[in-house]
Amino acid sequence: MSEQAALHQLTLAGLGHRCAQESDHFFHRRPHDPRYCYELFRRAIVERSEHAWELLYRQYQALVAGWVRRHEAYGHSGEEIHYFVNRAFEKMWSAVTPEKFANFQNLKSLLGYLATCVNSVLMDNARSAERRALEESEDRIERLPGVRIPHQEV
């Protein structure tokens, strides 16, 4: 049996366990095998396995939370870290379809995309907050006696 076929034969629990072990090896700068985590992503995305997504979330939530915590837009967001962790996973889940999975050749590219999702949800949040603040400022100014702000069509 080929190594690839052997990966496909592992249960999700076994795959999740091996992914956690190999990730631990990676973070301790020991030799590691990223194929188990990549296969877990494949099952989550290509097979649309909810259980695989749960295992991925459990495996990578701390890593993603660290990315959120270090992002320049987080400090002013007014949201909890896990709000953005959840949004990043949701964004990846909706954006990476089974057909698009082939564009990701390895675990590094998948995690890079997840990091991009973190940046995207934080920047979207910051832009929304900026827009709300501007609208609130205009509303306060318009309520001042004798002040009128011309509205522009965007």
Side-chain angles (χ1 to χ4, degrees):
M1 183 184 301
S2 74
E3 289 182 29
Q4 193 64 27
L7 275 176
H8 291 311
Q9 296 299 316
L10 282 174
T11 64
L12 277 174
L15 200 53
H17 178 73
R18 284 302 304 269
C19 176
Q21 283 180 325
E22 297 300 329
S23 293
D24 186 59
H25 292 310
F26 173 80
F27 288 116
H28 288 96
R29 300 183 188 274
R30 295 190 306 250
H32 62 284
D33 186 348
R35 292 176 304 153
Y36 297 97
C37 297
Y38 182 82
E39 174 64 14
L40 194 54
F41 268 104
R42 189 195 69 74
R43 291 193 194 179
I45 295 168
V46 174
E47 297 178 10
R48 287 307 208 202
S49 168
E50 204 170 303
H51 187 225
W53 273 114
E54 290 169 9
L55 292 169
L56 284 170
Y57 184 88
R58 194 175 312 142
Q59 177 61 43
Y60 291 112
Q61 69 177 338
L63 178 66
V64 174
W67 293 338
V68 170
R69 191 177 297 109
R70 288 187 296 278
H71 195 283
E72 63 186 66
Y74 172 66
H76 305 290
S77 70
E79 295 287 352
E80 296 283 329
I81 286 175
H82 287 287
Y83 171 80
F84 293 112
V85 170
N86 291 337
R87 298 299 78 75
F89 274 99
E90 288 170 0
K91 189 169 195 78
M92 185 169 190
W93 180 84
S94 65
V96 183
T97 63
E99 298 77 28
K100 292 180 182 176
F101 184 77
N103 296 331
F104 298 93
Q105 298 299 310
N106 52 41
L107 180 61
K108 183 178 180 177
S109 62
L110 285 161
L111 292 176
Y113 188 79
L114 185 55
T116 298
C117 290
V118 167
N119 183 64
S120 177
V121 297
L122 278 153
M123 295 310 294
D124 287 349
N125 182 270
R127 282 188 288 270
S128 292
E130 230 174 70
R131 202 169 24 257
R132 280 191 308 276
L134 181 60
E135 289 169 0
E136 289 170 7
S137 293
E138 286 178 354
D139 287 346
R140 281 194 300 272
I141 291 171
E142 285 180 340
R143 283 185 250 139
L144 293 173
V147 175
R148 228 182 117 191
I149 297 176
H151 291 280
Q152 296 178 355
E153 292 292 318
V154 180

